[in-house]
Amino acid sequence: MICILDFGTSKISSILVKDEDTKPEILAFSSVETSGIKTGSIINIALTSTDISKSINQLEVQSGEKIKDVIVCFSGEHISSFNSSGAAIIRQKEVTARDVQAALNMSSTMKTPSGKTLIYVSPNEYIIDKEPGVAEPIGMNGVKLEAITHLVYCSQNAKENIAKCVEEMNDLRIKKFYFNQLGAAESTLNIDQKDLGVCLLDIGAGTTDLSIYKEGSIRFSKVFPYAGDYITETIATSLNITSTQAEEIKKKYGSIDLDPDSEDTLKIIGINGNREIEISRKTLSEIIEQSLTRIIRHSHSCIEDNGMLNYIPTGYVLTGGTANLQGIQKLGESITKKRFEIGLPLVEKPSKSEQLIKPQFSTILGMVKFCALERNKQFTFNQSRGIIGRMLEWFRSEFGT
């Protein structure tokens, strides 16, 4: 079984999956609202720990299983990434898993940014004797192997705070830490999009996570500290209502695709129980549009500034809770002049996941597939070689034949 904890700004979601060889099956799911996290970072350890306990307890009650180990996925403005490369000598003329690991290790030896720790190394491509574009080098002949990688870092303090909440306060063991965009990509992007080039834009509550995929792997990633909560706070400030009220009307009535001649109004109780106030739906729509425009425009400018517009010929895939806002697809296309589509977690989804096919659950559903892929890579590096290939590789490395 696999248990995954997804740390979001507005909620902590968890999922327990029966890890079948054919197709994973969801045994239990939980999503608990939290106020202990802001823009992806823990700001209240006690609150966050309690919410983790609630979420895990719900999984155990639903499944009847005792959970001891978890995989953690998270984001935050402290996430940073860099592209790197590393080389290794092919020791026996034919590339082995050990040669691949040596090249990957060399690519991650670059100086770690201050206060950061490496959480993931994504191999983008391999080069054998200056011949680029190698996707799977094991078994190929050559002298020198180079690995081109994308390195993802997080704040050391942020990681330790998560560990404190999960391990010290809840007596669980963290098996792995992952950047949650890696999961969202697995559930929302198809093979053609990843190969041709696409931008995945995950607009959650506290952060907007941007990643670019090209030729099958992640090439660029960035996290911005404004997303759905920024829209909510702008509504609250503009209309002089509470953040709770703003969030409620955003979710219930939020729309960008509103008739410009609409005269519809909403009536809500004023701050501190004051007299009822009337709000124009057109005004609400304009506030949301202005806030979303800033988020999308800033994301697009980031891609442009990094010279990567030609990396995304298939456009954008938008996911995360904010993707539920009516009219966001049309707005995105008008701003970027690129194709925009809403990313639902439909790619190779686990069984019994029908109730979770929503943008806000793309990360946790995709992480099920991502973890399975990582496990297979860890054991084999190349599934097609199977156990016999691994035995031969071991035999050659031990006895030099």
Side-chain angles (χ1 to χ4, degrees), residues 50-200:
T50 299
D51 294 333
I52 292 168
S53 178
K54 286 179 186 175
S55 191
I56 294 296
N57 183 63
Q58 288 177 15
L59 293 188
E60 292 180 337
V61 170
Q62 291 174 39
S63 66
E65 301 284 349
K66 179 64 178 174
I67 295 170
K68 296 180 180 179
D69 299 328
V70 297
I71 291 169
V72 166
C73 59
F74 64 109
S75 182
E77 59 178 317
H78 56 85
I79 295 283
S80 58
S81 62
F82 305 93
N83 292 326
S84 184
S85 63
I89 298 300
I90 301 170
R91 297 176 304 163
Q92 296 167 358
K93 295 186 180 180
E94 182 180 296
V95 179
T96 67
R98 292 176 71 179
D99 298 324
V100 172
Q101 192 61 58
L104 292 174
N105 288 344
M106 286 300 297
S107 79
S108 60
T109 57
M110 64 180 290
K111 185 178 179 181
T112 302
S114 177
K116 301 277 189 173
T117 184
L118 182 66
I119 57 171
Y120 189 68
V121 179
S122 173
N124 288 342
E125 70 167 315
Y126 296 94
I127 301 170
I128 297 179
D129 296 343
K130 298 184 180 181
E131 289 293 330
V134 178
E136 177 48 70
I138 292 178
M140 297 182 69
N141 291 342
V143 176
K144 181 182 178 182
L145 173 69
E146 295 176 72
I148 309 300
T149 59
H150 185 73
L151 309 179
V152 182
Y153 296 87
C154 75
S155 159
Q156 181 67 41
N157 289 336
K159 184 179 177 183
E160 289 174 358
N161 285 335
I162 291 174
K164 185 177 291 185
C165 291
V166 174
E167 297 185 324
E168 292 183 26
M169 308 288 281
N170 280 286
D171 198 27
L172 298 165
R173 185 179 68 169
I174 298 174
K175 296 175 72 174
K176 288 284 186 180
F177 288 89
Y178 289 123
F179 177 35
N180 61 17
Q181 275 288 83
L182 299 168
E186 291 302 326
S187 68
T188 60
L189 305 181
N190 60 43
I191 292 174
D192 289 340
Q193 287 170 324
K194 285 183 178 180
D195 282 344
L196 294 172
V198 67
C199 176
L200 176 63

Side-chain angles (χ1 to χ4, degrees), residues 153-360:
Y153 296 87
C154 75
S155 159
Q156 181 67 41
N157 289 336
K159 184 179 177 183
E160 289 174 358
N161 285 335
I162 291 174
K164 185 177 291 185
C165 291
V166 174
E167 297 185 324
E168 292 183 26
M169 308 288 281
N170 280 286
D171 198 27
L172 298 165
R173 185 179 68 169
I174 298 174
K175 296 175 72 174
K176 288 284 186 180
F177 288 89
Y178 289 123
F179 177 35
N180 61 17
Q181 275 288 83
L182 299 168
E186 291 302 326
S187 68
T188 60
L189 305 181
N190 60 43
I191 292 174
D192 289 340
Q193 287 170 324
K194 285 183 178 180
D195 282 344
L196 294 172
V198 67
C199 176
L200 176 63
L201 206 56
D202 185 343
I203 308 180
T207 64
T208 295
D209 302 347
L210 180 156
S211 57
I212 292 175
Y213 278 76
K214 180 81 171 175
E215 295 176 354
S217 60
I218 187 169
R219 303 286 169 154
F220 179 82
S221 55
K222 185 77 174 177
V223 178
F224 305 111
Y226 35 80
D229 285 351
Y230 164 70
I231 300 171
T232 300
E233 292 305 317
T234 304
I235 294 170
T237 303
S238 301
L239 301 180
N240 196 28
I241 58 178
T242 67
S243 296
T244 302
Q245 289 173 316
E247 180 70 12
E248 185 179 338
I249 64 172
K250 182 186 77 173
K251 286 183 174 179
K252 194 171 183 180
Y253 302 105
S255 172
I256 308 151
D257 193 19
L258 198 66
D259 183 349
D261 297 324
S262 173
E263 296 181 359
D264 292 349
T265 59
L266 308 171
K267 291 183 179 180
I268 62 174
I269 302 299
I271 293 176
N272 297 324
N274 291 336
R275 64 182 179 82
E276 196 174 60
I277 59 175
E278 194 171 72
I279 297 171
S280 162
R281 284 200 64 185
K282 183 180 177 182
T283 300
L284 175 63
S285 176
E286 289 171 349
I287 294 168
I288 293 173
E289 181 176 344
Q290 289 168 7
S291 303
L292 262 177
T293 296
R294 184 194 172 197
I295 293 171
I296 295 171
R297 193 165 278 157
H298 192 82
S299 300
H300 190 69
S301 294
C302 174
I303 297 172
E304 193 171 24
D305 292 345
N306 282 277
M308 304 195 78
L309 279 180
N310 62 328
Y311 276 58
I312 56 169
T314 65
Y316 289 83
V317 172
L318 180 64
T319 195
T322 303
N324 289 308
L325 285 170
Q326 186 179 344
I328 192 171
Q329 185 175 355
K330 184 177 178 182
L331 177 67
E333 289 180 342
S334 70
I335 293 170
T336 65
K337 310 304 179 189
K338 291 275 189 180
R339 174 181 169 82
F340 248 74
E341 67 176 68
I342 304 302
L344 294 173
L346 291 169
V347 179
E348 295 184 34
K349 62 184 185 294
S351 60
K352 299 185 178 179
S353 61
E354 292 75 15
Q355 301 301 314
L356 303 178
I357 306 303
K358 301 174 183 178
Q360 58 266 41

Side-chain angles (χ1 to χ4, degrees), residues 92 385 387-397 401:
Q92 296 167 358
R385 289 175 68 86
I387 191 168
I388 294 175
R390 296 197 301 276
M391 288 175 66
L392 286 172
E393 184 178 297
W394 172 83
F395 190 84
R396 289 181 186 133
S397 65
T401 59

